[in-house]
Amino acid sequence: MSNLNEQMTNNTAELPQDANAFFERADSVITLANSQLSPNSHAGQVAASLTYAAARFAVSAASIGFVKGSDFAKEKVDIIAFYTEQYQKMLSDNIDDYAENFEKYTGIKR
């Protein structure tokens, strides 16, 4: 797991230096997700697909540096713990932001 910890720690540590690029990539993915909204696919369905895609991509990223699937599999618990912790932090921060800017983001005025 040291390889993954090092890789992810380095990526997380780079965020303040490269925050604009980080948020531009995120906004790009959100724009793509929004383009998937239609009468046949509501926000919940798109969010489910996006969550699945994020999990698939995260597993691919986490596998970098391993040469055997069996070694990668041994790190499953640590990989899941890392991504779960990161997702919880990001989700919490975004709930706080959305709640503070609810009217602006939803267009609902009281």
Side-chain angles (χ1 to χ4, degrees):
M1 184 64 182
S2 64
N3 184 23
L4 179 65
N5 277 338
E6 189 174 302
Q7 180 183 358
M8 296 303 159
T9 300
N10 288 341
N11 289 344
T12 304
E14 290 174 14
L15 179 59
Q17 297 169 1
D18 199 14
N20 286 339
F22 173 86
F23 290 113
E24 285 174 7
R25 286 189 301 270
D27 287 345
S28 213
V29 173
I30 292 167
T31 297
L32 176 61
N34 282 328
S35 77
Q36 299 294 309
L37 298 172
S38 74
N40 297 321
S41 58
H42 58 72
Q45 292 167 318
V46 174
S49 296
L50 182 59
T51 302
Y52 179 78
R56 293 274 315 248
F57 193 85
V59 167
S60 176
S63 73
I64 294 170
F66 288 93
V67 293
K68 293 187 339 188
S70 57
D71 290 338
F72 180 60
K74 290 175 189 174
E75 303 301 328
K76 180 178 179 177
V77 171
D78 290 337
I79 292 167
I80 291 171
F82 173 80
Y83 281 105
T84 300
E85 180 182 333
Q86 294 302 306
Y87 186 78
Q88 277 187 307
K89 288 177 186 176
M90 291 176 190
L91 187 61
S92 178
D93 289 346
N94 278 283
I95 289 171
D96 292 344
D97 176 57
Y98 213 89
E100 289 176 25
N101 296 286
F102 192 81
E103 188 175 296
K104 174 182 164 187
Y105 292 159
T106 64
I108 298 172
K109 296 185 182 200
R110 289 191 161 203

